[in-house]
Amino acid sequence: MSDWKFDVEDVGEDDDENGDDASQMYPMDEPLEPGTPSAENILFVVLGALTMVFVFLRLTGLA
């Protein structure tokens, strides 16, 4: 007996030969619109970049 909650016989098999399910979930004919980054997102990206620079400097012995 497996540790899984459901077996294939209980839920059925997915018949995804052509990949139609993914194309219905993410239609490619809709263009992507650029968004405006929030100040919080910018802060976390800058903080992460500075942290990684500090880590690399510590690893190389320069800081």
Side-chain angles (χ1 to χ4, degrees):
M1 186 75 182
S2 67
D3 293 336
W4 293 100
K5 191 172 184 177
F6 300 105
D7 288 331
V8 175
E9 292 83 21
D10 296 335
V11 294
E13 291 187 30
D14 291 332
D15 187 19
D16 188 19
E17 293 177 2
N18 299 335
D20 294 335
D21 293 338
S23 64
Q24 291 175 0
M25 289 174 48
Y26 305 108
M28 299 303 278
D29 53 344
E30 294 181 13
L32 294 177
E33 298 292 329
T36 304
S38 67
E40 182 181 11
N41 291 342
I42 294 171
L43 175 70
F44 279 112
V45 167
V46 170
L47 183 64
L50 290 175
T51 302
M52 290 311 300
V53 167
F54 178 73
V55 167
F56 288 140
L57 289 175
R58 293 286 292 182
L59 287 175
T60 59
L62 297 175

